[in-house]
Amino acid sequence: MMRVGIDVGGTKIAVGLVDGGNILAKERFASYPGAPQSTIADMAREVKALVSAHGLGLDQIGGVGVGFAGTVDSDAGVVRTSANLRWTDVDVRTPLSSALGLPVRLVNDADAAAWAEYRFGAARGYDSVVAITVGTGIGGALIFGDRVLEGRHGLAGELGHFTYEPGGLPCGCGRVGCWEQYCSGSRMNALAAERLPATNGLATARDVDPLALAGDPVALGIFEEIGTALGAGMASLGMIFDPDLFLIGGGVSESGELLLEPTRREYTRQMGLGGFPCAKIVAASLGNDAGIIGAADLGATAR
Ligand code: BGC
Protein backbone atom coordinates (compact mmCIF):
# COMPACT_ATOMS: atom_id res chain seq x y z
CA MET A 1 0.00 0.00 0.00
CA MET A 2 1.17 3.51 -0.70
CA ARG A 3 2.26 5.70 2.18
CA VAL A 4 2.86 9.39 2.84
CA GLY A 5 6.17 10.75 4.11
CA ILE A 6 6.56 14.26 5.50
CA ASP A 7 9.97 15.83 6.09
CA VAL A 8 9.78 18.81 8.42
CA GLY A 9 13.15 20.55 8.15
CA GLY A 10 14.53 23.76 9.62
CA THR A 11 13.42 25.89 6.64
CA LYS A 12 11.11 23.76 4.52
CA ILE A 13 8.53 21.01 4.66
CA ALA A 14 8.30 18.36 1.95
CA VAL A 15 5.35 16.01 1.57
CA GLY A 16 5.55 12.95 -0.66
CA LEU A 17 3.49 10.04 -1.83
CA VAL A 18 5.72 7.02 -1.43
CA ASP A 19 5.72 3.49 -2.74
CA GLY A 20 8.56 1.52 -1.09
CA GLY A 21 11.75 3.37 -2.01
CA ASN A 22 10.11 5.54 -4.69
CA ILE A 23 8.44 8.92 -4.48
CA LEU A 24 5.49 9.16 -6.87
CA ALA A 25 4.72 12.83 -6.24
CA LYS A 26 5.90 15.50 -3.86
CA GLU A 27 5.30 19.10 -2.80
CA ARG A 28 7.39 21.55 -0.80
CA PHE A 29 6.46 24.57 1.27
CA ALA A 30 8.24 26.82 3.76
CA SER A 31 8.47 26.11 7.50
CA TYR A 32 8.53 28.91 10.06
CA PRO A 33 9.87 28.81 13.60
CA GLY A 34 7.35 28.81 16.40
CA ALA A 35 4.11 28.11 14.50
CA PRO A 36 3.22 24.51 15.36
CA GLN A 37 -0.57 24.52 15.06
CA SER A 38 -0.72 26.25 11.68
CA THR A 39 2.13 24.06 10.43
CA ILE A 40 0.25 20.90 11.40
CA ALA A 41 -2.86 22.24 9.62
CA ASP A 42 -0.71 23.02 6.54
CA MET A 43 0.65 19.47 6.58
CA ALA A 44 -2.84 17.94 6.69
CA ARG A 45 -4.00 20.17 3.83
CA GLU A 46 -0.97 19.37 1.68
CA VAL A 47 -1.34 15.63 2.24
CA LYS A 48 -5.00 15.73 1.19
CA ALA A 49 -4.17 17.82 -1.90
CA LEU A 50 -1.30 15.56 -2.94
CA VAL A 51 -3.28 12.36 -2.51
CA SER A 52 -6.29 13.63 -4.44
CA ALA A 53 -4.10 15.19 -7.18
CA HIS A 54 -2.86 11.66 -7.72
CA GLY A 55 -6.42 10.39 -8.20
CA LEU A 56 -6.41 8.57 -4.85
CA GLY A 57 -8.50 8.66 -1.70
CA LEU A 58 -7.06 8.77 1.82
CA ASP A 59 -8.46 5.26 2.31
CA GLN A 60 -5.89 4.04 -0.21
CA ILE A 61 -3.00 5.29 1.94
CA GLY A 62 -1.46 2.91 4.49
CA GLY A 63 -0.25 5.56 6.90
CA VAL A 64 1.80 8.69 7.39
CA GLY A 65 5.35 9.07 8.68
CA VAL A 66 6.61 12.46 9.83
CA GLY A 67 10.32 13.18 10.21
CA PHE A 68 10.74 16.29 12.34
CA ALA A 69 13.81 18.49 12.82
CA GLY A 70 14.00 18.19 16.57
CA THR A 71 13.93 15.82 19.50
CA VAL A 72 10.84 13.68 19.37
CA ASP A 73 9.21 11.15 21.65
CA SER A 74 8.13 8.75 18.95
CA ASP A 75 6.17 6.52 21.31
CA ALA A 76 4.01 9.48 22.33
CA GLY A 77 3.99 11.15 18.89
CA VAL A 78 5.17 14.38 20.50
CA VAL A 79 7.90 16.86 19.52
CA ARG A 80 9.86 17.63 22.69
CA THR A 81 12.26 20.37 21.58
CA SER A 82 13.58 21.90 18.41
CA ALA A 83 16.69 24.06 18.25
CA ASN A 84 15.72 25.59 14.91
CA LEU A 85 11.90 25.43 14.72
CA ARG A 86 11.38 26.30 18.39
CA TRP A 87 8.57 23.82 19.12
CA THR A 88 8.25 22.54 22.68
CA ASP A 89 6.06 19.61 23.74
CA VAL A 90 3.83 19.62 20.67
CA ASP A 91 1.57 16.64 20.01
CA VAL A 92 1.79 16.10 16.25
CA ARG A 93 0.29 12.65 16.03
CA THR A 94 -3.17 13.31 17.51
CA PRO A 95 -4.21 16.33 15.39
CA LEU A 96 -2.63 15.06 12.18
CA SER A 97 -4.04 11.60 12.59
CA SER A 98 -7.55 12.89 13.30
CA ALA A 99 -7.42 15.42 10.40
CA LEU A 100 -6.48 12.62 7.97
CA GLY A 101 -8.11 9.59 9.54
CA LEU A 102 -4.79 7.74 9.18
CA PRO A 103 -2.19 6.30 11.54
CA VAL A 104 0.74 8.69 12.01
CA ARG A 105 4.24 7.93 13.27
CA LEU A 106 6.53 10.78 14.30
CA VAL A 107 10.31 10.33 14.16
CA ASN A 108 13.38 12.58 14.04
CA ASP A 109 14.16 13.97 10.54
CA ALA A 110 17.76 12.74 10.51
CA ASP A 111 16.66 9.29 11.67
CA ALA A 112 14.20 9.21 8.77
CA ALA A 113 16.76 10.29 6.17
CA ALA A 114 19.38 7.84 7.44
CA TRP A 115 16.86 5.00 7.49
CA ALA A 116 16.05 5.65 3.81
CA GLU A 117 19.75 5.51 2.95
CA TYR A 118 20.12 2.30 4.95
CA ARG A 119 17.13 0.63 3.29
CA PHE A 120 17.42 1.96 -0.26
CA GLY A 121 20.57 4.09 -0.68
CA ALA A 122 24.25 4.54 0.09
CA ALA A 123 24.20 2.86 3.53
CA ARG A 124 22.62 -0.37 2.29
CA GLY A 125 24.38 -3.49 3.52
CA TYR A 126 26.26 -1.85 6.43
CA ASP A 127 25.61 -3.14 9.92
CA SER A 128 26.66 -0.07 11.90
CA VAL A 129 26.07 3.40 10.52
CA VAL A 130 26.57 6.83 12.04
CA ALA A 131 24.71 9.24 9.78
CA ILE A 132 25.32 12.97 9.83
CA THR A 133 22.89 15.30 8.09
CA VAL A 134 24.42 18.68 7.41
CA GLY A 135 21.53 21.08 6.88
CA THR A 136 20.21 24.10 8.80
CA GLY A 137 21.44 22.22 11.88
CA ILE A 138 23.39 18.99 12.17
CA GLY A 139 21.18 15.95 12.39
CA GLY A 140 22.40 12.57 13.48
CA ALA A 141 21.24 8.99 13.36
CA LEU A 142 22.65 5.79 14.81
CA ILE A 143 21.69 2.61 13.00
CA PHE A 144 23.05 -0.49 14.64
CA GLY A 145 21.89 -4.06 13.98
CA ASP A 146 18.91 -3.03 11.83
CA ARG A 147 17.54 -0.58 14.39
CA VAL A 148 17.58 3.18 14.77
CA LEU A 149 18.73 3.94 18.31
CA GLU A 150 16.47 6.64 19.75
CA GLY A 151 17.42 6.42 23.43
CA ARG A 152 15.16 6.77 26.44
CA HIS A 153 14.06 10.35 25.60
CA GLY A 154 14.67 10.49 21.84
CA LEU A 155 18.05 12.15 22.42
CA ALA A 156 20.26 9.37 21.08
CA GLY A 157 21.92 10.53 17.88
CA GLU A 158 21.34 14.25 18.54
CA LEU A 159 24.87 14.63 17.22
CA GLY A 160 24.52 18.33 16.43
CA HIS A 161 24.42 19.07 20.13
CA PHE A 162 27.47 17.39 21.54
CA THR A 163 29.84 19.94 23.03
CA TYR A 164 32.40 20.67 20.37
CA GLU A 165 33.84 23.75 22.03
CA PRO A 166 33.26 24.32 25.74
CA GLY A 167 32.18 27.92 26.31
CA GLY A 168 31.81 28.39 22.54
CA LEU A 169 29.11 29.79 20.26
CA PRO A 170 25.53 29.95 21.61
CA CYS A 171 23.17 27.33 20.17
CA GLY A 172 19.42 27.42 19.50
CA CYS A 173 19.05 24.48 21.90
CA GLY A 174 19.98 26.70 24.86
CA ARG A 175 23.52 25.37 25.36
CA VAL A 176 26.82 26.70 24.01
CA GLY A 177 29.57 25.24 21.85
CA CYS A 178 27.35 22.64 20.14
CA TRP A 179 28.87 20.95 17.09
CA GLU A 180 26.16 22.29 14.76
CA GLN A 181 27.33 25.82 15.47
CA TYR A 182 30.63 24.95 13.74
CA CYS A 183 29.74 22.96 10.65
CA SER A 184 26.06 23.30 9.68
CA GLY A 185 24.43 25.26 6.86
CA SER A 186 23.70 28.01 9.39
CA ARG A 187 27.41 28.32 10.11
CA MET A 188 28.10 28.44 6.42
CA ASN A 189 25.53 31.23 6.02
CA ALA A 190 27.23 33.18 8.79
CA LEU A 191 30.71 32.73 7.31
CA ALA A 192 29.45 33.64 3.81
CA ALA A 193 27.79 36.81 5.09
CA GLU A 194 30.94 37.76 6.99
CA ARG A 195 33.58 36.97 4.37
CA LEU A 196 32.08 37.03 0.87
CA PRO A 197 31.11 40.16 -1.04
CA ALA A 198 27.42 41.13 -0.83
CA THR A 199 25.55 41.13 -4.16
CA ASN A 200 21.77 41.29 -3.66
CA GLY A 201 21.97 41.51 0.09
CA LEU A 202 24.45 39.60 2.21
CA ALA A 203 26.04 36.48 0.72
CA THR A 204 24.62 33.14 1.92
CA ALA A 205 25.67 29.49 1.93
CA ARG A 206 24.34 29.21 -1.64
CA ASP A 207 27.02 31.63 -2.88
CA VAL A 208 29.90 29.60 -1.47
CA ASP A 209 29.60 26.62 -3.80
CA PRO A 210 29.92 28.38 -7.21
CA LEU A 211 32.70 30.62 -5.92
CA ALA A 212 34.62 27.65 -4.52
CA LEU A 213 34.22 25.74 -7.78
CA ALA A 214 35.66 28.76 -9.58
CA GLY A 215 38.69 28.56 -7.24
CA ASP A 216 37.90 31.56 -5.00
CA PRO A 217 40.27 31.19 -2.02
CA VAL A 218 37.87 32.73 0.51
CA ALA A 219 35.04 30.36 -0.48
CA LEU A 220 37.45 27.41 -0.46
CA GLY A 221 38.56 28.52 3.00
CA ILE A 222 34.95 28.37 4.20
CA PHE A 223 34.63 24.75 3.04
CA GLU A 224 37.99 24.02 4.64
CA GLU A 225 36.80 25.42 7.97
CA ILE A 226 33.43 23.67 7.91
CA GLY A 227 34.93 20.36 6.71
CA THR A 228 37.66 20.47 9.34
CA ALA A 229 35.12 20.94 12.14
CA LEU A 230 33.04 18.11 10.69
CA GLY A 231 36.02 15.76 10.45
CA ALA A 232 37.27 16.60 13.93
CA GLY A 233 33.84 15.87 15.42
CA MET A 234 33.66 12.62 13.49
CA ALA A 235 36.94 11.48 15.00
CA SER A 236 35.37 11.89 18.46
CA LEU A 237 32.26 10.02 17.31
CA GLY A 238 34.49 7.29 15.93
CA MET A 239 35.89 6.74 19.41
CA ILE A 240 32.37 6.36 20.82
CA PHE A 241 30.61 4.32 18.15
CA ASP A 242 33.34 2.73 16.01
CA PRO A 243 30.91 2.34 13.06
CA ASP A 244 31.44 0.57 9.75
CA LEU A 245 30.30 3.69 7.98
CA PHE A 246 29.88 7.43 8.37
CA LEU A 247 27.15 8.59 6.02
CA ILE A 248 27.15 12.30 5.22
CA GLY A 249 23.89 13.76 3.90
CA GLY A 250 21.82 16.95 3.99
CA GLY A 251 21.79 20.05 1.81
CA VAL A 252 25.39 21.12 2.49
CA SER A 253 26.70 17.66 1.56
CA GLU A 254 25.39 18.23 -1.96
CA SER A 255 28.57 20.26 -2.46
CA GLY A 256 30.28 16.86 -2.67
CA GLU A 257 34.07 16.80 -2.52
CA LEU A 258 34.27 20.50 -1.65
CA LEU A 259 33.00 19.47 1.76
CA LEU A 260 34.04 15.82 1.91
CA GLU A 261 37.70 16.32 1.04
CA PRO A 262 38.59 18.51 4.06
CA THR A 263 36.25 16.41 6.23
CA ARG A 264 37.98 13.15 5.31
CA ARG A 265 41.40 14.75 5.65
CA GLU A 266 40.80 15.98 9.20
CA TYR A 267 39.08 12.77 10.28
CA THR A 268 41.90 10.53 9.01
CA ARG A 269 44.54 12.89 10.39
CA GLN A 270 43.02 12.74 13.87
CA MET A 271 42.47 8.99 13.81
CA GLY A 272 46.01 8.56 12.53
CA LEU A 273 47.43 10.47 15.51
CA GLY A 274 46.31 7.60 17.72
CA GLY A 275 46.99 4.92 15.14
CA PHE A 276 43.25 4.11 15.12
CA PRO A 277 41.48 2.40 12.20
CA CYS A 278 39.17 4.60 10.14
CA ALA A 279 35.55 3.97 9.20
CA LYS A 280 34.41 4.35 5.63
CA ILE A 281 32.92 7.75 4.76
CA VAL A 282 30.34 8.02 1.99
CA ALA A 283 27.96 10.68 0.74
CA ALA A 284 24.24 10.02 0.94
CA SER A 285 22.75 9.05 -2.40
CA LEU A 286 19.04 9.85 -2.18
CA GLY A 287 19.38 13.64 -1.84
CA ASN A 288 16.40 15.60 -0.60
CA ASP A 289 14.11 12.63 -1.07
CA ALA A 290 15.67 10.65 1.77
CA GLY A 291 13.69 12.39 4.52
CA ILE A 292 10.35 11.70 2.81
CA ILE A 293 11.13 8.08 1.91
CA GLY A 294 12.54 7.25 5.33
CA ALA A 295 9.66 8.89 7.21
CA ALA A 296 7.18 6.88 5.14
CA ASP A 297 9.11 3.64 5.61
CA LEU A 298 9.74 4.05 9.34
CA GLY A 299 6.11 5.14 9.64
CA ALA A 300 5.10 1.71 8.40
CA THR A 301 5.45 0.66 12.02
CA ALA A 302 2.76 3.27 12.86
CA ARG A 303 1.35 3.21 16.35
C1 BGC B 1 18.05 19.17 15.80
C2 BGC B 1 17.91 17.75 15.33
C3 BGC B 1 17.68 17.71 13.87
C4 BGC B 1 18.76 18.50 13.14
C5 BGC B 1 18.56 18.53 11.65
C6 BGC B 1 19.14 19.86 15.02
O1 BGC B 1 19.25 21.18 15.44
O2 BGC B 1 18.39 19.19 17.17
O3 BGC B 1 16.87 17.12 16.02
O4 BGC B 1 17.69 16.37 13.44
O5 BGC B 1 18.83 19.83 13.63
O6 BGC B 1 17.35 19.10 11.29
Side-chain angles (χ1 to χ4, degrees):
M1 213 169 179
M2 257 174 263
R3 308 188 52 80
V4 166
I6 307 180
D7 182 15
V8 186
T11 54
K12 51 103 194 92
I13 300 181
V15 176
L17 195 57
V18 180
D19 188 7
N22 299 313
I23 297 190
L24 306 178
K26 64 179 169 183
E27 280 300 334
R28 256 170 172 250
F29 53 104
S31 63
Y32 302 99
Q37 298 316 327
S38 61
T39 305
I40 295 170
D42 287 350
M43 289 196 259
R45 204 187 45 244
E46 294 288 335
V47 170
K48 285 180 187 160
L50 191 69
V51 169
S52 76
H54 216 72
L56 296 169
L58 286 169
D59 55 348
Q60 288 162 283
I61 303 298
V64 178
V66 181
F68 183 88
T71 310
V72 307
D73 178 339
S74 56
D75 286 340
V78 171
V79 168
R80 289 299 175 208
T81 59
S82 170
N84 297 300
L85 284 166
R86 314 280 157 111
W87 293 20
T88 308
D89 293 334
V90 177
D91 180 355
V92 173
R93 187 173 60 197
T94 310
L96 193 57
S97 175
S98 63
L100 297 171
L102 290 170
V104 170
R105 171 130 191 245
L106 177 71
V107 296
N108 170 263
D109 63 337
D111 285 352
W115 184 252
E117 297 286 347
Y118 171 73
R119 291 261 293 144
F120 308 108
R124 224 168 143 164
Y126 291 92
D127 185 57
S128 52
V129 180
V130 172
I132 301 162
T133 307
V134 190
T136 309
I138 296 264
L142 309 172
I143 302 179
F144 284 78
D146 214 30
R147 277 191 58 204
V148 178
L149 305 185
E150 292 177 296
R152 172 67 185 83
H153 304 97
L155 288 175
E158 274 290 351
L159 304 180
H161 301 282
F162 82 75
T163 303
Y164 180 72
E165 192 172 301
L169 297 169
C171 183
C173 76
R175 299 169 66 239
V176 299
C178 293
W179 194 31
E180 76 176 29
Q181 295 308 321
Y182 297 85
C183 46
S184 61
S186 305
R187 177 63 172 168
M188 201 163 217
N189 269 328
L191 293 180
E194 196 180 295
R195 297 182 191 167
L196 294 175
T199 39
N200 293 326
L202 288 178
T204 70
R206 280 180 208 292
D207 300 310
V208 187
D209 215 293
L211 283 171
L213 285 174
D216 180 280
V218 179
L220 285 167
I222 292 177
F223 273 113
E224 184 72 30
E225 194 169 321
I226 299 270
T228 301
L230 199 55
M234 281 164 53
S236 294
L237 294 172
M239 304 315 287
I240 303 171
F241 299 109
D242 188 18
D244 290 323
L245 180 73
F246 280 108
L247 177 85
I248 317 283
V252 180
S253 76
E254 282 166 23
S255 303
E257 285 304 305
L258 285 172
L259 177 73
L260 288 182
E261 198 276 323
T263 301
R264 221 181 269 120
R265 190 174 355 106
E266 181 61 12
Y267 167 73
T268 44
R269 186 185 75 80
Q270 294 222 15
M271 295 305 274
L273 292 175
F276 301 119
C278 289
K280 208 165 162 190
I281 301 176
V282 302
S285 64
L286 302 175
N288 270 332
D289 290 348
I292 298 175
I293 296 172
D297 198 67
L298 267 180
T301 47
R303 284 167 247 204

